[in-house]
Amino acid sequence: MSKQAAAVISRPRDERVFNAIVYTIASLIILIVLYPLIFVISASFSDPAKVLNGEVWLLPKSVSLDAYTNIFHNGKIWTGYMNTIIYTVVGTIVNMILTILAAYPLSRPDLPGRKVLMVIITLTMFFGGGLIPTYLLVKNLGMLDTMWALIVPGAISTYNLIVMRTYFQSSIPWELQEAAHIDGCSNWRLLVNIIIPLSKPILAVMVLFYAVGHWNSFFNALIYIRDEGRYPLQLVLREILLISQTDAVDGNVGLENKVLLAESIKYAVIIISSLPILIMYPFVQRHFVKGVMIGSIKG
Amino acid sequence: MKSAQVQATAAPSRVSARRGRRIWIQMVKRYDLYLMLLVPIAWYLIFHYGPLYGLQIAFKNFNPAKGIIGSSWVGFDHFERFFDSYYFGRLLWNTLSINLFSLLIAFPISIVLALIVNEIRSKSFSKLLQNITFIPHFISVVVIVGILNVFLSPTTGPINSLIEAFGGSPIRFLEEAGWFKTIFIGSNIWQNMGWQSIIYIAALSGINPQLYEAAKMDGASRMRRVWHISLPGIVPVIVIMLILDIGHFMDIGFEKILLMQNNLNLEASDVISTFVYTTGILKGEYSYTAAIGLFNSVINLVLLLLVNRFARKTSETSLW
């Protein structure tokens, strides 16, 4: 019997074992990723006393919305929520305008000096002044304790800029732009009427990348924002989740109850703050993946 | 319009003295493109090259009243002070080891995950696996550390409940230096393995299916096909990702370390970037910490250049 024939005969069993291993590992990974998330969701809907006793481990125990009603009365969280929404919307608009204005001209093969400009931009990905000089710059510009400190220093992500430029170059036919020029179309009109409408997929991805970035960022606010009234959600979260202030709980309850409530709202706060992203996730997940793929062409 | 085109095509054959003039005409004709670039380039100069200029305070005794230029030069004093300081060894070791362990453990896991996704024949199950492993990527660092806090809590967390159920005594995971690196890297893997695997999954889908068919005909087992076809097929992508990771070698996960840090685990969690934050921003020692930051960036850049050069020589794949 030839070697090849033997291999063919042994294959079904080999296949089955291999499949079993692959599916087992995959299922384990799914469990490991999901379990902490399910635990937090369950704990947030449980009776705080049961959570503190460590009785909740998978499903909610004595379903209760106490934690959520408590958050509802917490002014700090809502101020943070509003602030974050404003920072995210304004920040993303600034990000998009500046990124498009940089990416489009640099995608034009007929622009003298674009290689030099690209080098100037790309170099910043590998070497920078660092935290302290940046902080001093923002301070000297008088941006401390303003919304602009959270928006302007990060106005362009060089990575996103390169991805967008690659998209403009590879997905929009140069002949089309040349034809528009011959028809007397100015570059501004070309950008607004042709390039932007034709690039909707990549622009959507960029809006999502930038918006999630703003929603989740906390470090810039930590160093630039002192006024608690301007705190974004993530800084308020940091106080509640990590610094564990019992005064995050309003009302005239005893100290013991305060500790109980402060502990229990942690779970609900995690859910409330991640809700917008988790709700939109199923709809945009495909776009995110696409964005990474487009980036990888160049990468 | 036509004459401009003729001029454009005929120009290269003319003498180079005319070239400067031709480029000048080209530039003037496209002035509006430069107008678009005006704000972005100004932004790059101010917010990226501005801090580079400000970096000179690393060699000065920066005094806010005198400004960057007015402050006096001190040469390498700040660097020497840092190298001689009690913290230097600990900071360098923590920074290097956290990143090295991440690279050794977390980096290969996303590749393995991509290979697993690629080997799952059921379309819906492979989609499920991908969609679920992506989720944690979008959760903020603050929330991730918050989840770690409640999940590993010695009194209410399920992990310690489990330990107690088996007769052990609860472990204060987040307050023990010995556990810090494990938890930091483990939760990083939990959060990012799915997202980082996307690029490998994309690369795997680009491998020619005929290669697999041919190997199958030759009697190669599934495992051998993964090893001899899938893996070599994505080596260029792996190399690029490796170089990019090393390009950020010294600053991976700084924000998360800062959030996880407390006085009890400082021995293991004190890294250069968190030290720069606490000493520079909080205590106002700007020049000293600017010097430390510069030291950090230089090591980073040197590593990047070395790895890129090594990759270009050995695998012919490199960033530039």
Side-chain angles (χ1 to χ4, degrees):
Chain A
M1 199 161 70
S2 74
K3 222 173 162 187
Q4 214 165 351
V8 170
I9 291 165
S10 73
R11 193 179 300 144
R13 214 194 57 179
D14 167 69
E15 282 271 339
R16 272 206 306 274
V17 173
F18 187 85
N19 274 334
I21 295 173
V22 164
Y23 277 80
T24 311
I25 299 176
S27 310
L28 267 177
I29 292 174
I30 290 178
L31 284 180
I32 292 171
V33 171
L34 280 186
Y35 179 59
L37 301 175
I38 292 172
F39 167 73
V40 173
I41 294 172
S42 296
S44 78
F45 285 110
S46 298
D47 177 6
K50 303 245 170 189
V51 177
L52 287 191
N53 283 336
E55 283 177 48
V56 177
W57 63 276
L58 184 64
L59 295 175
K61 286 266 162 71
S62 332
V63 175
S64 126
L65 293 173
D66 284 3
Y68 287 97
T69 44
N70 208 286
I71 291 179
F72 200 73
H73 296 296
N74 186 319
K76 266 190 183 174
I77 292 177
W78 294 117
T79 314
Y81 227 98
M82 276 315 295
N83 286 340
T84 291
I85 290 173
I86 295 169
Y87 301 156
T88 302
V89 171
V90 179
T92 307
I93 291 172
V94 171
N95 288 144
M96 289 308 290
I97 292 175
L98 288 190
T99 310
I100 292 172
L101 285 182
Y104 177 59
L106 292 171
S107 77
R108 290 275 299 259
D110 61 336
L111 182 81
R114 74 171 189 148
K115 283 223 173 86
V116 180
L117 293 173
M118 273 318 286
V119 169
I120 290 176
I121 287 171
T122 319
L123 274 183
T124 63
M125 285 177 93
F126 302 109
F127 199 83
L131 177 65
I132 300 297
T134 309
Y135 171 78
L136 291 176
L137 175 73
V138 172
K139 196 177 167 189
N140 287 337
L141 291 173
M143 289 181 180
L144 279 197
D145 240 348
T146 68
M147 167 171 89
W148 304 112
L150 307 180
I151 291 171
V152 179
I156 300 176
S157 143
T158 303
Y159 176 80
N160 287 352
L161 165 58
I162 292 174
V163 170
M164 200 188 278
R165 171 180 168 264
T166 309
Y167 187 91
F168 288 158
Q169 262 173 350
S170 57
S171 305
I172 298 172
W174 173 234
E175 293 74 26
L176 184 74
Q177 301 189 44
E178 274 185 318
H181 273 144
I182 292 172
D183 291 343
C185 183
S186 78
N187 285 318
W188 284 100
R189 272 191 50 207
L190 188 63
L191 175 62
V192 175
N193 295 341
I194 295 177
I195 306 295
I196 291 180
L198 282 178
S199 311
K200 273 186 198 137
I202 190 70
L203 297 181
V205 171
M206 293 290 138
V207 167
L208 296 169
F209 276 158
Y210 278 129
V212 171
H214 283 293
W215 189 272
N216 284 343
S217 88
F218 88 97
F219 187 68
N220 281 342
L222 181 69
I223 56 176
Y224 297 132
I225 306 287
R226 300 281 148 78
D227 176 8
E228 287 199 15
R230 292 173 209 266
Y231 271 12
L233 182 61
Q234 299 296 332
L235 271 196
V236 180
L237 280 180
R238 175 173 167 269
E239 287 192 342
I240 295 175
L241 293 175
L242 307 177
I243 306 177
S244 257
Q245 285 181 320
T246 39
D247 46 285
V249 180
D250 296 333
N252 301 321
V253 281
L255 183 66
E256 202 168 309
N257 275 331
K258 269 195 173 181
V259 175
L260 191 75
L261 275 171
E263 242 349 272
S264 74
I265 64 167
K266 284 186 178 177
Y267 306 91
V269 162
I270 289 175
I271 303 297
I272 293 272
S273 66
S274 311
L275 213 56
I277 290 177
L278 292 182
I279 288 177
M280 112 191 148
Y281 174 72
F283 302 101
V284 299
Q285 167 271 120
R286 203 164 312 166
H287 296 292
F288 274 119
V289 175
K290 211 184 290 163
V292 175
M293 304 273 198
I294 295 167
S296 68
I297 298 170
K298 185 78 186 173
Chain B
M1 208 64 226
K2 213 162 194 142
S3 67
Q5 265 179 327
V6 170
Q7 193 189 357
T9 48
S13 59
R14 292 189 190 162
V15 278
S16 60
R18 291 260 174 114
R19 237 186 109 217
R21 202 181 131 72
R22 187 172 59 91
I23 288 176
W24 183 240
I25 292 171
Q26 231 180 345
M27 285 172 81
V28 170
K29 256 175 63 187
R30 290 167 185 77
Y31 75 97
D32 45 359
L33 290 178
Y34 292 103
L35 223 55
M36 292 178 193
L37 279 170
L38 199 65
V39 179
I41 293 295
W43 178 85
Y44 267 99
L45 292 180
I46 296 171
F47 286 95
H48 280 282
Y49 288 88
L52 272 182
Y53 169 79
L55 207 46
Q56 58 177 284
I57 66 168
F59 305 96
K60 286 183 162 179
N61 252 340
F62 177 64
N63 179 341
K66 291 184 191 158
I68 293 175
I69 301 193
S71 302
S72 54
W73 293 95
V74 295
F76 285 87
D77 278 9
H78 297 301
F79 293 89
E80 280 167 21
R81 182 182 151 204
F82 179 54
F83 298 148
D84 291 337
S85 78
Y86 159 74
Y87 302 106
F88 177 67
R90 176 168 103 177
L91 289 171
L92 195 64
W93 164 247
N94 282 337
T95 307
L96 291 175
S97 63
I98 289 176
N99 287 294
L100 190 67
F101 294 152
S102 293
L103 208 60
L104 288 177
I105 302 163
F107 187 81
I109 283 183
S110 52
I111 300 172
V112 172
L113 178 60
L115 292 172
I116 288 174
V117 168
N118 197 47
E119 287 303 317
I120 290 175
R121 293 290 174 257
S122 147
K123 259 256 163 6
S124 55
F125 190 66
S126 111
K127 268 270 160 312
L128 180 78
L129 176 62
Q130 288 187 61
N131 286 344
I132 286 178
T133 49
F134 293 166
I135 296 174
H137 176 78
F138 300 102
I139 300 175
S140 77
V141 224
V142 178
V143 168
I144 291 282
V145 179
I147 293 179
L148 280 177
N149 267 334
V150 295
F151 197 68
L152 300 174
S153 155
T155 50
T156 61
I159 298 294
N160 273 312
S161 302
L162 196 71
I163 292 176
E164 278 179 288
F166 282 99
S169 50
I171 300 169
R172 306 182 76 84
F173 287 103
L174 294 167
E175 290 165 6
E176 282 182 24
W179 277 100
F180 177 80
K181 283 167 194 165
T182 313
I183 293 168
F184 176 77
I185 294 170
S187 56
N188 269 354
I189 293 172
W190 179 80
Q191 187 180 14
N192 294 319
M193 64 176 169
W195 190 250
Q196 284 163 355
S197 70
I198 295 177
I199 190 158
Y200 302 118
I201 294 171
L204 282 168
S205 67
I207 294 176
N208 186 350
Q210 286 179 342
L211 290 174
Y212 290 105
E213 282 305 314
K216 200 172 167 185
M217 295 313 269
D218 289 343
S221 68
R222 289 273 290 277
M223 195 59 218
R224 290 182 76 90
R225 276 178 261 160
V226 170
W227 190 253
H228 291 290
I229 299 172
S230 301
L231 210 51
I234 58 172
V235 161
V237 180
I238 294 176
V239 171
I240 292 291
M241 294 312 284
L242 195 64
I243 299 173
L244 285 176
D245 261 21
I246 290 173
H248 298 280
F249 189 78
M250 302 290 281
D251 55 35
I252 293 175
F254 151 63
E255 298 188 351
K256 194 169 146 198
I257 296 178
L258 189 67
L259 290 169
M260 286 176 69
Q261 203 170 63
N262 54 49
N263 286 331
L264 296 161
N265 66 20
L266 207 58
E267 190 59 40
S269 65
D270 207 11
V271 296
I272 294 179
S273 41
T274 58
F275 185 78
V276 168
Y277 166 72
T278 48
T279 312
I281 306 280
L282 298 184
K283 295 184 189 149
E285 292 197 44
Y286 298 131
S287 279
Y288 180 44
T289 47
I292 299 173
L294 177 58
F295 168 74
N296 201 37
S297 315
V298 168
I299 292 193
N300 222 335
L301 189 65
V302 170
L303 280 175
L304 176 70
L305 294 175
L306 284 177
V307 171
N308 190 59
R309 199 185 157 134
F310 181 73
R312 194 171 46 199
K313 277 198 177 147
T314 54
S315 67
E316 292 173 352
T317 314
S318 66
L319 277 189
W320 61 82

